[in-house]
Amino acid sequence: MERTPEQVLCLCALLCVPRVRCEPIRYSVAEEGESGSVVANVAEDAGLTPAQLSARRARIASPAGRQHFRLERATGRLVLAERLDREELCGRSLTCTLAFELLLENPLQFFRVEVAVEDVNDHSPVFPEERVTFQILETSDPGSRFPVEAAHDLDVGSNSIQAYTIAPENEYFSVSFETHSDDDKYVDLVLDQTLDREAHSELLFSLIATDGGSPPRSGTTQIHIVVLDVNDNAPTFTQKLYIGRVLENAPMGSVVLSVVATDPDVGLNGDISYRFSQSVGESHLPFTIDSMSGEIRVTKILDFEDAQKYEISVRATDGGGLSGMCNVMVEVVDVNDNAPELVVSFFSSPLPENAEPGTVVALFAVRDRDSGVNGEITCALEDQLSFSLRPAYKNYYELVTVSTLDREETAQYLVVILTADAGSPSLTNTQTFTVDISDVNDNAPVFNQTSYTMYVRENNIPAVLVGAVSAVDSDAGPNAKVIYSLGPVYAAERDPCSCISVNSENGHVFVLRPLDYEQVRQLEVLVSATDAGSPPLSTNLSGDEHFSLSVQAGANGEKHPELVLAKVLDREEAAFHELVLMASDGGESVRTGTARIRVSVRCTRCACPRTCPWAPRHDISLCMPTSATW
């Protein structure tokens, strides 16, 4: 397949820009090809490798729903999914194009592909009647014309009918073929010599229609000529072609138009009756014709979307058997009776709460089966601040995020898309997308108290329960599962006190062995609450009731610890407080770091230095007035 310069430029751009808009990739294929026949290598023409097709889940999407083609990801070839019948797909239209999209994910990208289906001479001309009888006066003048309804060939262009001939040839008749337009074709038998009923009362020959295919095809009808002595005038229509227009919602019985034929004969030979030609009997048409008046009326419900026009042949016959023909074309006028439709090609849900603004959530096309303004569509979102619509290509739109998301604030969005046509009155439709927001581990566990004080009598029994700590995490799933652990309060201690343990699941605190009040009056431990996220987030809780620690998440994922006054300080009670801040990472073998904080309590009259000096070995000294309430 040879590519145009525009397509080459487009392919070059596609190699650089992930989601470029450009002219479609165009191919052509002959109809009647077997399923599996190769059309082209679309991957090569789109600048992609077969590996990319598989990795990015390439697929074909058609708004019409029916897939005529199949993509071989392994080779990148576009093949026929079924035998194509051009006449079934496009009727007698001179052009027949099948359009679809090649969709790729991660990132979302699509290419418009158009395949022109070329006509093959697979239909022979067919006459509407196998035998046509003419009753012709022997007094008819040479040059008289007798219309024959033209043969029909479903093929188009050079494969359609090109010539008519008579076989065997005779001295009385020849054939004349005129084409004014696709809807206006005339075939006449021309009388070349005066008939003599006494010599020949009947003539029988074949009329042959031949198309221009290679090899050509032909169709035949038998012509039966009955020579009459009387009635030397056939009915003649006032027009060769009648054109009528009718609304698709016209009630049954509505008059479309009337055809009129005249006959200068008198009596029975001048009485005219009308009928549709045998090729389109009334049972197959949504119309009927009054045999006496020539009025054509609606008999069935019309639908512009099924048929936009009807071509009918009407024959007028007098009492002597002579007839004339005319063509009638009824155009069906569209009425706004179809609401817009929305066809989804891609939809992503759930969406992670850390998705960047501009993330594509859905790709869809809008369409309306009506025509003109009745088929013009507007598309909008209903009361939505977190998402917006972005035009993609022709009638395609993308649903994208416009702000950051927070699952803890809103876990699910109902995005309603409104479509309306420009008809009068306008018809509307709605499509609702339910977008679920998936959790990201962006919240550390939070203790329900800033510190805990627990009591145990000396000489306690081993493994006695003395209390419990409790922390909650506002995330979901594993990100919200809290695991409790103990750590040393001071950096010099490698392990926490061996006489105290905490249940990792429920936070219950136990004293493991009997204690002696004279040996130890107070024990301090550091409790960590860690979630099961990846990486995990944690919060530490010391045993000092005067202070608490909170961890705030930064915009880039960093963690900022803040030391807070959980209780009013009393210098007479304690001149200073020593605290240990411990940070742990999320590795398989957890590593920790500690910093010692010494908080000196000064009286309200004492001056506090503007900046407290850093102590060696990451120890921090702070000074606070006794009257401060933080």
Coordinates of all heavy atoms in Angstrom, one line a residue, residues 229-309:
D229 N -54.7 -4.2 -34.3 CA -55.3 -3.5 -35.4 C -55.8 -2.1 -35.0 O -55.9 -1.2 -35.8 CB -56.5 -4.3 -36.0 CG -56.1 -5.4 -36.9 OD1 -55.0 -5.3 -37.5 OD2 -56.8 -6.5 -36.9
V230 N -56.2 -1.9 -33.7 CA -56.9 -0.7 -33.3 C -56.0 -0.1 -32.1 O -54.9 -0.5 -31.8 CB -58.3 -1.0 -32.8 CG1 -59.3 -0.1 -33.6 CG2 -58.7 -2.4 -32.9
N231 N -56.7 1.0 -31.5 CA -56.1 1.6 -30.4 C -54.6 2.0 -30.7 O -53.7 1.4 -30.2 CB -56.1 0.7 -29.1 CG -55.8 1.5 -27.8 OD1 -55.9 2.7 -27.8 ND2 -55.4 0.7 -26.8
D232 N -54.5 3.1 -31.4 CA -53.2 3.5 -31.9 C -52.5 4.6 -31.0 O -51.6 5.3 -31.4 CB -53.3 4.0 -33.3 CG -54.3 5.1 -33.5 OD1 -55.0 5.4 -32.4 OD2 -54.4 5.7 -34.5
N233 N -53.0 4.8 -29.7 CA -52.4 5.7 -28.8 C -52.2 5.1 -27.5 O -53.1 4.5 -26.9 CB -53.2 7.0 -28.7 CG -53.3 7.8 -29.9 OD1 -52.3 8.5 -30.2 ND2 -54.4 7.8 -30.6
A234 N -51.0 5.1 -27.0 CA -50.7 4.6 -25.6 C -50.7 5.8 -24.6 O -50.5 6.9 -25.0 CB -49.3 4.0 -25.6
P235 N -51.0 5.5 -23.3 CA -51.0 6.5 -22.3 C -49.6 7.2 -22.2 O -48.6 6.6 -22.4 CB -51.3 5.8 -21.0 CG -52.0 4.5 -21.5 CD -51.4 4.2 -22.8
T236 N -49.7 8.5 -22.0 CA -48.4 9.3 -21.9 C -48.5 10.1 -20.6 O -49.4 10.8 -20.3 CB -48.2 10.2 -23.1 OG1 -48.3 9.5 -24.3 CG2 -46.9 11.0 -23.0
F237 N -47.4 10.0 -19.8 CA -47.4 10.7 -18.5 C -47.0 12.2 -18.8 O -46.2 12.5 -19.7 CB -46.4 10.1 -17.5 CG -46.9 8.8 -16.9 CD1 -46.7 7.6 -17.4 CD2 -47.7 8.9 -15.7 CE1 -47.1 6.4 -16.8 CE2 -48.1 7.8 -15.1 CZ -47.9 6.5 -15.6
T238 N -47.5 13.0 -17.9 CA -47.2 14.5 -18.1 C -45.7 14.7 -17.7 O -45.2 15.8 -18.1 CB -48.1 15.3 -17.2 OG1 -48.0 14.9 -15.8 CG2 -49.5 15.2 -17.6
Q239 N -45.1 13.8 -16.9 CA -43.7 14.0 -16.6 C -43.0 12.6 -16.7 O -43.6 11.6 -16.4 CB -43.5 14.5 -15.1 CG -44.1 15.9 -14.9 CD -44.0 16.2 -13.4 OE1 -44.9 16.8 -12.8 NE2 -42.9 15.9 -12.7
K240 N -41.7 12.6 -17.0 CA -41.0 11.4 -17.0 C -40.6 11.0 -15.6 O -40.5 9.8 -15.3 CB -39.7 11.5 -17.9 CG -39.9 11.4 -19.4 CD -40.2 10.0 -19.8 CE -40.2 9.8 -21.3 NZ -40.4 8.4 -21.7
L241 N -40.3 12.0 -14.8 CA -39.9 11.8 -13.4 C -40.7 12.6 -12.4 O -40.7 13.9 -12.6 CB -38.4 12.0 -13.2 CG -37.8 11.9 -11.8 CD1 -37.9 10.5 -11.3 CD2 -36.4 12.4 -11.7
Y242 N -41.4 12.0 -11.5 CA -42.1 12.7 -10.4 C -41.3 12.7 -9.1 O -40.8 11.6 -8.8 CB -43.5 12.1 -10.2 CG -44.5 12.3 -11.4 CD1 -44.5 11.4 -12.5 CD2 -45.4 13.3 -11.4 CE1 -45.3 11.6 -13.5 CE2 -46.3 13.5 -12.4 CZ -46.3 12.6 -13.5 OH -47.1 12.8 -14.5
I243 N -41.2 13.8 -8.4 CA -40.5 13.8 -7.2 C -41.4 14.3 -6.1 O -42.1 15.4 -6.2 CB -39.3 14.7 -7.3 CG1 -38.3 14.2 -8.3 CG2 -38.6 14.8 -5.9 CD1 -37.1 15.1 -8.5
G244 N -41.5 13.6 -5.0 CA -42.4 13.9 -3.9 C -41.6 13.9 -2.6 O -40.6 13.1 -2.5
R245 N -42.0 14.7 -1.6 CA -41.4 14.7 -0.3 C -42.4 14.5 0.8 O -43.5 15.0 0.7 CB -40.6 16.0 -0.1 CG -39.7 16.4 -1.2 CD -38.9 17.7 -0.9 NE -37.9 17.5 0.1 CZ -37.6 18.3 1.1 NH1 -38.5 19.4 1.3 NH2 -36.6 18.1 1.9
V246 N -42.0 13.7 1.8 CA -43.0 13.3 2.9 C -42.2 13.2 4.2 O -41.1 12.7 4.2 CB -43.7 12.0 2.5 CG1 -42.7 10.9 2.4 CG2 -44.8 11.7 3.6
L247 N -42.8 13.8 5.2 CA -42.2 13.7 6.6 C -42.2 12.2 7.1 O -43.2 11.5 6.8 CB -42.9 14.6 7.6 CG -42.9 16.1 7.3 CD1 -43.8 16.8 8.3 CD2 -41.4 16.6 7.5
E248 N -41.1 11.8 7.8 CA -41.1 10.4 8.2 C -42.2 10.1 9.2 O -42.5 8.9 9.5 CB -39.7 10.1 8.8 CG -39.3 10.9 10.0 CD -38.0 10.4 10.6 OE1 -37.8 9.2 10.6 OE2 -37.2 11.2 11.1
N249 N -42.7 11.1 9.9 CA -43.8 10.9 10.8 C -45.2 11.2 10.2 O -46.2 11.4 11.0 CB -43.6 11.7 12.1 CG -43.7 13.2 11.8 OD1 -43.7 13.6 10.7 ND2 -43.7 14.0 12.9
A250 N -45.3 11.2 8.9 CA -46.6 11.4 8.2 C -47.6 10.3 8.6 O -47.2 9.1 8.6 CB -46.4 11.5 6.7
P251 N -48.8 10.6 8.9 CA -49.8 9.6 9.3 C -50.1 8.8 8.1 O -50.0 9.2 6.9 CB -51.0 10.4 9.8 CG -50.8 11.8 9.2 CD -49.4 12.0 9.0
M252 N -50.5 7.5 8.3 CA -51.0 6.6 7.3 C -52.2 7.2 6.6 O -53.1 7.7 7.2 CB -51.3 5.2 7.8 CG -50.0 4.5 8.2 SD -50.3 2.8 8.7 CE -51.0 3.1 10.3
G253 N -52.2 7.1 5.2 CA -53.2 7.7 4.4 C -52.9 9.0 3.8 O -53.6 9.5 3.0
S254 N -51.7 9.6 4.3 CA -51.3 10.9 3.7 C -51.0 10.8 2.3 O -50.4 9.8 1.8 CB -50.1 11.4 4.5 OG -50.4 11.6 5.9
V255 N -51.4 11.8 1.5 CA -51.2 11.8 0.0 C -49.7 12.3 -0.2 O -49.4 13.4 0.3 CB -52.2 12.7 -0.7 CG1 -51.8 12.7 -2.2 CG2 -53.6 12.1 -0.6
V256 N -48.9 11.6 -0.9 CA -47.6 12.0 -1.2 C -47.6 12.9 -2.5 O -47.1 14.0 -2.5 CB -46.6 10.8 -1.4 CG1 -45.2 11.3 -1.7 CG2 -46.7 10.0 -0.1
L257 N -48.1 12.3 -3.6 CA -48.3 13.0 -4.9 C -49.2 12.3 -5.8 O -49.7 11.2 -5.4 CB -46.9 13.2 -5.5 CG -46.0 11.9 -5.8 CD1 -46.4 11.3 -7.2 CD2 -44.6 12.3 -5.9
S258 N -49.5 12.8 -6.9 CA -50.4 12.2 -7.9 C -49.6 12.2 -9.2 O -49.0 13.1 -9.6 CB -51.7 12.9 -8.1 OG -52.4 12.8 -6.9
V259 N -49.7 11.0 -9.9 CA -49.2 10.9 -11.3 C -50.4 11.0 -12.3 O -51.5 10.6 -11.9 CB -48.4 9.6 -11.5 CG1 -47.2 9.6 -10.6 CG2 -49.3 8.4 -11.2
V260 N -50.1 11.6 -13.4 CA -51.1 11.8 -14.4 C -50.6 11.4 -15.8 O -49.6 11.8 -16.2 CB -51.5 13.3 -14.5 CG1 -52.6 13.5 -15.5 CG2 -52.0 13.8 -13.1
A261 N -51.4 10.5 -16.4 CA -51.2 10.1 -17.8 C -52.4 10.4 -18.7 O -53.5 10.4 -18.2 CB -50.8 8.6 -17.9
T262 N -52.2 10.7 -19.9 CA -53.3 11.0 -20.8 C -53.3 10.1 -22.0 O -52.2 9.5 -22.4 CB -53.2 12.5 -21.3 OG1 -52.0 12.7 -22.0 CG2 -53.3 13.5 -20.2
D263 N -54.5 9.9 -22.6 CA -54.6 9.0 -23.8 C -55.6 9.6 -24.7 O -56.8 9.8 -24.3 CB -55.0 7.6 -23.4 CG -54.9 6.6 -24.5 OD1 -55.2 6.9 -25.6 OD2 -54.5 5.4 -24.2
P264 N -55.2 10.0 -25.9 CA -56.2 10.7 -26.8 C -57.3 9.8 -27.4 O -58.2 10.3 -28.0 CB -55.3 11.3 -27.9 CG -54.1 10.4 -27.9 CD -53.9 9.9 -26.5
D265 N -57.1 8.5 -27.1 CA -58.2 7.6 -27.6 C -59.5 7.8 -26.8 O -59.5 8.4 -25.8 CB -57.7 6.1 -27.5 CG -56.6 5.8 -28.5 OD1 -56.6 6.4 -29.6 OD2 -55.7 5.1 -28.1
V266 N -60.5 7.3 -27.3 CA -61.8 7.4 -26.7 C -62.4 6.0 -26.3 O -61.9 5.0 -26.8 CB -62.9 8.2 -27.6 CG1 -62.4 9.6 -27.9 CG2 -63.0 7.4 -28.9
G267 N -63.4 6.1 -25.4 CA -64.0 4.8 -25.1 C -63.0 4.0 -24.2 O -62.2 4.5 -23.5
L268 N -63.1 2.7 -24.4 CA -62.3 1.7 -23.6 C -60.8 2.0 -23.9 O -60.0 1.8 -23.0 CB -62.7 0.3 -24.0 CG -62.0 -0.8 -23.2 CD1 -62.3 -0.7 -21.7 CD2 -62.3 -2.2 -23.8
N269 N -60.5 2.3 -25.1 CA -59.0 2.5 -25.4 C -58.5 3.8 -24.8 O -57.2 3.9 -24.7 CB -58.9 2.6 -26.9 CG -59.2 1.3 -27.6 OD1 -59.0 0.2 -27.1 ND2 -59.7 1.4 -28.9
G270 N -59.3 4.6 -24.2 CA -58.8 5.8 -23.6 C -58.9 5.8 -22.1 O -58.5 6.7 -21.4
D271 N -59.5 4.7 -21.5 CA -59.6 4.5 -20.1 C -58.2 4.0 -19.5 O -57.7 3.0 -20.0 CB -60.7 3.5 -19.7 CG -62.1 3.9 -20.1 OD1 -62.2 5.2 -20.2 OD2 -63.0 3.1 -20.2
I272 N -57.7 4.8 -18.5 CA -56.4 4.5 -18.0 C -56.5 4.0 -16.5 O -57.3 4.5 -15.7 CB -55.5 5.8 -18.0 CG1 -55.4 6.3 -19.5 CG2 -54.2 5.6 -17.4 CD1 -54.6 7.6 -19.6
S273 N -55.7 3.0 -16.3 CA -55.5 2.5 -14.9 C -54.0 2.5 -14.5 O -53.2 2.4 -15.4 CB -56.1 1.1 -14.8 OG -55.4 0.2 -15.6
Y274 N -53.8 2.8 -13.2 CA -52.4 2.9 -12.8 C -52.0 1.8 -11.8 O -52.9 1.3 -11.1 CB -52.2 4.3 -12.0 CG -52.6 5.5 -12.8 CD1 -53.8 6.1 -12.7 CD2 -51.6 6.1 -13.6 CE1 -54.2 7.2 -13.4 CE2 -51.9 7.3 -14.3 CZ -53.2 7.8 -14.2 OH -53.5 8.9 -14.9
R275 N -50.8 1.4 -11.9 CA -50.3 0.4 -10.9 C -48.7 0.6 -10.8 O -48.1 1.1 -11.7 CB -50.6 -1.0 -11.4 CG -49.9 -1.4 -12.7 CD -50.3 -2.9 -13.1 NE -49.7 -3.3 -14.3 CZ -48.5 -3.8 -14.5 NH1 -47.7 -3.9 -13.4 NH2 -48.0 -4.1 -15.7
F276 N -48.2 0.1 -9.7 CA -46.8 0.0 -9.5 C -46.2 -1.1 -10.4 O -46.9 -2.1 -10.7 CB -46.4 -0.2 -8.1 CG -46.6 0.9 -7.2 CD1 -47.1 0.7 -5.9 CD2 -46.5 2.2 -7.6 CE1 -47.3 1.8 -5.0 CE2 -46.7 3.3 -6.7 CZ -47.2 3.1 -5.4
S277 N -45.0 -1.0 -10.8 CA -44.4 -2.0 -11.6 C -44.2 -3.3 -10.8 O -44.2 -3.2 -9.6 CB -43.0 -1.6 -12.2 OG -42.0 -2.1 -11.4
Q278 N -44.2 -4.4 -11.5 CA -44.1 -5.7 -10.8 C -42.9 -5.9 -10.0 O -42.8 -6.7 -9.0 CB -44.3 -6.8 -11.8 CG -45.6 -6.9 -12.5 CD -45.7 -8.0 -13.5 OE1 -44.8 -8.9 -13.5 NE2 -46.8 -8.1 -14.2
S279 N -41.8 -5.1 -10.3 CA -40.5 -5.3 -9.6 C -40.6 -4.7 -8.1 O -39.9 -5.2 -7.3 CB -39.4 -4.5 -10.3 OG -39.7 -3.1 -10.4
V280 N -41.5 -3.8 -7.9 CA -41.7 -3.2 -6.6 C -43.2 -3.3 -6.2 O -43.9 -2.3 -6.3 CB -41.2 -1.8 -6.4 CG1 -39.7 -1.8 -6.3 CG2 -41.6 -1.0 -7.6
G281 N -43.7 -4.4 -5.9 CA -45.1 -4.5 -5.6 C -45.5 -3.8 -4.4 O -44.6 -3.5 -3.5
E282 N -46.8 -3.5 -4.2 CA -47.2 -2.7 -3.1 C -46.9 -3.4 -1.7 O -46.8 -2.7 -0.7 CB -48.7 -2.5 -3.2 CG -49.1 -1.6 -4.4 CD -50.6 -1.1 -4.4 OE1 -51.1 -1.1 -3.3 OE2 -51.1 -0.8 -5.4
S283 N -46.8 -4.7 -1.7 CA -46.6 -5.4 -0.4 C -45.2 -5.0 0.1 O -44.9 -5.2 1.3 CB -46.7 -6.9 -0.6 OG -45.7 -7.4 -1.5
H284 N -44.2 -4.6 -0.7 CA -42.9 -4.3 -0.3 C -42.7 -2.8 -0.1 O -41.6 -2.3 0.2 CB -41.9 -4.8 -1.3 CG -42.0 -6.3 -1.5 ND1 -41.6 -7.2 -0.6 CD2 -42.4 -7.0 -2.6 CE1 -41.8 -8.4 -1.0 NE2 -42.3 -8.4 -2.2
L285 N -43.7 -2.0 -0.4 CA -43.5 -0.5 -0.3 C -44.4 0.0 0.8 O -45.5 -0.5 1.1 CB -43.9 0.1 -1.6 CG -43.0 0.0 -2.8 CD1 -43.6 0.6 -4.1 CD2 -41.7 0.7 -2.5
P286 N -44.0 1.2 1.4 CA -44.9 1.8 2.4 C -45.9 2.7 1.7 O -46.4 3.7 2.3 CB -43.9 2.6 3.3 CG -42.8 2.9 2.3 CD -42.7 1.8 1.4
F287 N -46.2 2.5 0.4 CA -47.1 3.3 -0.3 C -48.1 2.5 -1.1 O -47.8 1.3 -1.4 CB -46.4 4.2 -1.3 CG -45.2 5.0 -0.7 CD1 -43.9 4.6 -0.9 CD2 -45.5 6.1 0.1 CE1 -42.9 5.4 -0.3 CE2 -44.5 6.9 0.7 CZ -43.1 6.5 0.4
T288 N -49.2 3.1 -1.5 CA -50.1 2.5 -2.4 C -50.5 3.5 -3.4 O -50.4 4.7 -3.2 CB -51.3 1.9 -1.7 OG1 -52.2 1.2 -2.6 CG2 -52.2 3.0 -1.1
I289 N -51.0 3.0 -4.6 CA -51.4 4.0 -5.7 C -52.9 3.7 -6.0 O -53.3 2.5 -6.1 CB -50.5 3.9 -6.9 CG1 -50.9 5.0 -7.9 CG2 -50.6 2.5 -7.5 CD1 -49.9 5.1 -9.1
D290 N -53.7 4.7 -6.1 CA -55.1 4.6 -6.5 C -55.1 4.3 -8.0 O -54.6 5.1 -8.8 CB -55.8 5.9 -6.2 CG -57.3 5.7 -6.4 OD1 -57.7 5.5 -7.5 OD2 -58.1 5.7 -5.4
S291 N -55.7 3.2 -8.4 CA -55.6 2.7 -9.8 C -56.4 3.7 -10.7 O -56.1 3.8 -11.9 CB -56.2 1.3 -10.0 OG -57.6 1.3 -9.5
M292 N -57.4 4.5 -10.2 CA -58.1 5.4 -11.0 C -57.6 6.8 -11.0 O -57.5 7.4 -12.1 CB -59.6 5.4 -10.5 CG -60.3 4.0 -10.6 SD -60.2 3.2 -12.2 CE -61.3 4.4 -13.1
S293 N -57.2 7.3 -9.8 CA -56.8 8.7 -9.8 C -55.3 8.9 -9.9 O -54.8 10.0 -10.1 CB -57.2 9.3 -8.4 OG -56.6 8.7 -7.3
G294 N -54.5 7.9 -9.6 CA -53.0 8.0 -9.7 C -52.5 8.6 -8.4 O -51.3 8.9 -8.3
E295 N -53.3 8.8 -7.3 CA -52.8 9.3 -6.0 C -51.9 8.2 -5.3 O -52.3 7.0 -5.2 CB -53.9 9.6 -5.1 CG -54.5 11.0 -5.4 CD -55.6 11.4 -4.4 OE1 -56.0 10.5 -3.6 OE2 -55.9 12.6 -4.3
I296 N -50.7 8.6 -4.8 CA -49.9 7.8 -4.1 C -50.0 8.2 -2.6 O -49.7 9.3 -2.3 CB -48.4 7.9 -4.6 CG1 -48.3 7.4 -6.0 CG2 -47.5 7.1 -3.7 CD1 -47.0 7.5 -6.7
R297 N -50.3 7.2 -1.7 CA -50.5 7.5 -0.3 C -49.6 6.6 0.6 O -49.2 5.6 0.2 CB -52.0 7.2 0.1 CG -53.0 8.1 -0.6 CD -54.4 7.7 -0.2 NE -55.4 8.6 -0.8 CZ -55.9 9.7 -0.2 NH1 -55.5 10.0 1.0 NH2 -56.8 10.5 -0.8
V298 N -49.4 7.1 1.8 CA -48.6 6.4 2.8 C -49.5 5.3 3.4 O -50.6 5.5 3.8 CB -48.1 7.3 3.9 CG1 -47.4 6.6 5.0 CG2 -47.3 8.4 3.3
T299 N -48.9 4.0 3.4 CA -49.6 2.9 4.0 C -48.9 2.3 5.2 O -49.5 1.5 6.0 CB -49.8 1.8 3.0 OG1 -48.6 1.4 2.5 CG2 -50.7 2.3 1.8
K300 N -47.6 2.7 5.5 CA -46.9 2.1 6.6 C -46.1 3.2 7.3 O -45.9 4.3 6.7 CB -45.9 1.0 6.1 CG -46.6 -0.2 5.5 CD -45.6 -1.2 5.0 CE -46.3 -2.4 4.3 NZ -45.3 -3.4 3.8
I301 N -45.6 3.0 8.5 CA -44.8 4.0 9.2 C -43.5 4.1 8.5 O -42.8 3.1 8.2 CB -44.6 3.5 10.6 CG1 -46.0 3.5 11.4 CG2 -43.7 4.4 11.4 CD1 -45.9 3.0 12.8
L302 N -43.1 5.3 8.2 CA -41.8 5.6 7.6 C -40.7 5.8 8.6 O -41.0 6.2 9.8 CB -41.9 6.9 6.7 CG -43.0 6.8 5.6 CD1 -43.1 8.1 4.9 CD2 -42.7 5.7 4.6
D303 N -39.5 5.6 8.2 CA -38.3 5.8 9.1 C -37.2 6.3 8.3 O -36.6 5.6 7.5 CB -37.9 4.6 9.8 CG -36.9 4.8 10.9 OD1 -36.3 5.9 11.0 OD2 -36.7 3.9 11.8
F304 N -36.8 7.6 8.4 CA -35.7 8.2 7.6 C -34.4 7.5 7.9 O -33.6 7.4 6.9 CB -35.6 9.7 8.1 CG -34.4 10.4 7.4 CD1 -34.5 11.0 6.2 CD2 -33.2 10.5 8.1 CE1 -33.4 11.6 5.6 CE2 -32.1 11.1 7.5 CZ -32.2 11.7 6.3
E305 N -34.2 7.0 9.1 CA -33.0 6.3 9.4 C -32.8 5.0 8.7 O -31.7 4.4 8.5 CB -32.8 6.1 10.9 CG -32.5 7.4 11.7 CD -33.6 8.4 11.7 OE1 -34.8 7.9 11.8 OE2 -33.4 9.6 11.5
D306 N -34.0 4.4 8.3 CA -33.9 3.1 7.5 C -33.9 3.3 6.0 O -33.2 2.6 5.3 CB -35.2 2.3 7.8 CG -35.1 1.7 9.2 OD1 -34.0 1.6 9.8 OD2 -36.1 1.3 9.8
A307 N -34.6 4.3 5.5 CA -34.6 4.6 4.1 C -34.9 6.1 3.9 O -35.8 6.6 4.4 CB -35.7 3.8 3.4
Q308 N -34.0 6.7 3.1 CA -34.1 8.2 2.9 C -34.9 8.5 1.6 O -35.4 9.6 1.5 CB -32.7 8.8 2.8 CG -31.9 8.9 4.1 CD -31.3 7.6 4.4 OE1 -30.6 7.0 3.6 NE2 -31.4 7.2 5.7
K309 N -35.0 7.5 0.7 CA -35.8 7.8 -0.5 C -36.2 6.4 -1.1 O -35.7 5.4 -0.8 CB -35.0 8.6 -1.5 CG -33.8 7.8 -2.1 CD -33.0 8.7 -3.1 CE -31.8 8.0 -3.7 NZ -31.1 8.8 -4.7

